[in-house]
Amino acid sequence: MPQGGDSGILLTQVNKLIDWGRSASLWPATFGLACCAIEMMSASASRWDISRFGAEVFRASPRQADLMIVAGRLSVKMAPVLRRIYDQMPEPKWVIAMGACASCGGVFNNYAIVQGVDKVVPVDVYVPGCPPTPEMLLQGLNLLQEKIRKHQPPPPDPLKFAASRYLGSED
Amino acid sequence: MAENGTEGTQLAGARLLVTPVNPLAEATVALVREGFPEDVLDVVEHRGETTIIVRPERIVAIGQALRDAPALRYNYLADVTAVDWPEREPRYDVVYHLLALETRAVIRLKVRVGDEDTPDPELPSVTPVWPAADWFEREVYDLFGIRFAGHPNLTRIMMPTDWEGHPLRKDYPLTGFQLPEPHWGGQVPLDEALPAGTGQQTLRTTDGSEHPNRPVRKGEGEM
């Protein structure tokens, strides 16, 4: 067995195979909240066909999915539900924030809309647009696939930071 | 065919879709005035739409009369909503839109509530008359703070249950207030100099004064 940090040639190839497998078969759990969901549906329909890229089925159950596409504006009332669905997904999991509202609150800079879902879940890829065209979503998916294959580090979980603030430690 | 301004054109004789005028509006007003002579404060007719402004205490009785009147039968409550006029006393207008399904008659009832002494006004609920009022009144309570006596379940319906404040009042800032962390909400300040809660984006205040953050338009000079 190889010693030290280097896994050796054989395991590197196996890791590469695993990464390719993960990236090429990302099954989304839909979190279609608002208008972006329509474009997500278009992306999964025949013309733009997201299953060309491996997202063969949109699993209704988060326990069977590894990608969560948050499509649409997240309201303050819905935020705990989003977090719960995210927590129910098994590792490894990734999140795409689709659209302006999911990325940063979009046009809704007010009391009721969470200003970016990265306050609630860690986001890997942000897709801008209002709504993004299906091609933009597909590019976002491709970027995520490259990210997985290149082993780029995952984003920090926002709630872990919030919790530390909550428990009294100063920033 | 009724005249609708199309005579002599290619569309002459066609039936255009125009704002439906309620042919039973006068009968409705007459019925309400007759049954409740001291409770009708005003009747407004504008572009074919009739509004009857009544006293708040009598809204249930008037609603019931309109629902049960054999010729009119306003059995469909289309909406209950409210309008905040902060400079006016009484402050709120609660608006009821009624529809008669068999005759397609429409009428609007308005009720004025709320003043300096009662910031959270109360009004009888019309759920005994039209059960659809249940959620409409919950929405009005949630967003304006107007309570409905006799409502089966007067709780918040749109905002989270532990929310404080009534967002659709004109003095509730668009930014909201700094919310505790589990809410994950609140507005990003548009300008770093404005902390949340002061970047008010409604221009009206309850006492009619100029809002300090109101942008000065060109040519206004010193106001």
Side-chain angles (χ1 to χ4, degrees):
Chain A
M1 281 303 277
Q3 304 290 325
D6 190 359
S7 315
I9 295 174
L10 189 61
L11 284 180
T12 310
Q13 297 305 318
V14 170
N15 280 337
K16 273 193 178 167
L17 183 66
I18 291 175
D19 286 336
W20 173 83
R22 282 177 177 162
S23 66
S25 69
L26 284 168
W27 283 7
T30 53
F31 217 79
L33 295 168
C35 355
C36 275
I38 306 290
E39 292 297 319
M40 185 167 62
M41 290 180 223
S42 305
S44 62
S46 57
R47 182 174 285 216
W48 284 281
D49 201 9
I50 205 173
S51 66
R52 285 184 286 157
F53 300 99
E56 181 63 37
V57 276
F58 278 72
R59 302 308 296 180
S61 164
R63 302 207 188 265
Q64 298 165 4
D66 40 12
L67 168 66
M68 185 161 75
I69 302 181
V70 186
R73 52 189 174 264
L74 181 70
S75 69
V76 168
K77 200 168 178 181
M78 188 65 174
V81 177
L82 174 70
R83 182 70 206 187
R84 181 174 290 199
I85 300 288
Y86 176 78
D87 289 338
Q88 287 175 348
M89 289 166 67
E91 292 282 349
K93 55 189 171 185
W94 296 272
V95 175
I96 290 181
M98 177 185 178
C101 293
S103 306
C104 66
V107 287
F108 301 109
N109 194 6
N110 60 27
Y111 56 86
I113 299 291
V114 176
Q115 303 296 305
V117 299
D118 51 3
K119 287 195 169 194
V120 181
V121 293
V123 175
D124 294 279
V125 173
Y126 298 85
V127 182
C130 189
T133 62
E135 294 142 342
M136 290 164 71
L137 178 62
L138 293 176
Q139 185 182 10
L141 185 66
N142 285 343
L143 284 175
L144 179 63
Q145 289 176 329
E146 281 173 30
K147 185 175 180 177
I148 296 171
R149 286 178 213 147
K150 288 185 199 160
H151 257 306
Q152 285 176 349
D157 190 334
L159 289 202
K160 302 230 166 59
F161 283 103
S164 68
R165 250 205 311 259
Y166 211 38
L167 291 169
S169 59
E170 269 296 276
D171 204 83
Chain B
M1 211 44 80
E3 274 192 14
N4 53 17
T6 58
E7 281 72 26
T9 67
Q10 286 186 325
L11 291 170
R15 232 175 8 136
L16 296 182
L17 285 176
V18 291
T19 311
V21 176
N22 178 10
L24 294 173
E26 289 177 15
T28 311
V29 172
L31 184 124
V32 177
R33 277 203 203 276
E34 201 183 336
F36 306 89
E38 315 88 37
D39 301 317
V40 175
L41 300 176
D42 202 0
V43 174
V44 178
E45 195 270 334
H46 177 65
R47 299 187 72 159
E49 298 185 3
T50 309
T51 306
I52 309 179
I53 302 170
V54 295
R55 285 189 199 286
E57 316 80 55
R58 304 291 280 148
I59 185 66
V60 181
I62 294 175
Q64 189 139 14
L66 285 171
R67 187 193 66 177
D68 298 334
L72 302 173
R73 295 197 45 75
Y74 284 100
N75 49 7
Y76 186 87
L77 178 70
D79 196 11
V80 179
T81 181
V83 187
D84 182 7
W85 299 101
E87 304 97 2
R88 187 188 79 178
E89 176 143 340
R91 181 172 174 180
Y92 303 102
D93 265 345
V94 181
V95 186
Y96 299 80
H97 287 90
L98 305 179
L99 174 66
L101 288 173
E102 289 96 5
T103 55
R104 296 181 200 158
V106 284
I107 195 81
R108 186 183 297 124
L109 296 178
K110 274 194 193 176
V111 150
R112 294 177 179 156
V113 287
D115 54 21
E116 288 276 336
D117 307 317
T118 45
D120 294 317
E122 184 148 3
L123 137 80
S125 165
V126 292
T127 29
V129 182
W130 298 286
D134 194 333
W135 280 18
F136 292 138
E137 289 176 350
R138 279 179 70 185
E139 185 182 9
V140 171
Y141 164 65
D142 187 3
L143 300 174
F144 288 93
I146 297 171
R147 304 192 60 90
F148 291 89
H151 191 279
N153 179 27
L154 197 65
T155 50
R156 289 191 180 269
I157 190 169
M158 282 175 73
M159 303 312 295
T161 28
D162 53 349
W163 200 265
E164 285 163 14
H166 299 282
L168 243 54
R169 290 187 174 181
K170 292 283 190 284
D171 51 359
Y172 189 93
L174 185 61
T175 68
F177 302 100
Q178 198 68 303
L179 298 167
E181 210 36 47
H183 275 283
W184 303 305
Q187 184 183 7
V188 171
L190 298 173
D191 174 354
E192 275 308 307
L194 292 174
T198 58
Q200 182 170 329
Q201 293 187 25
T202 55
L203 303 176
R204 287 159 152 182
T205 50
T206 24
D207 54 1
S209 57
E210 282 289 334
H211 191 274
N213 287 346
R214 182 167 182 246
V216 177
R217 283 184 284 255
K218 281 202 188 103
E220 259 187 34
E222 274 91 63
M223 287 292 284

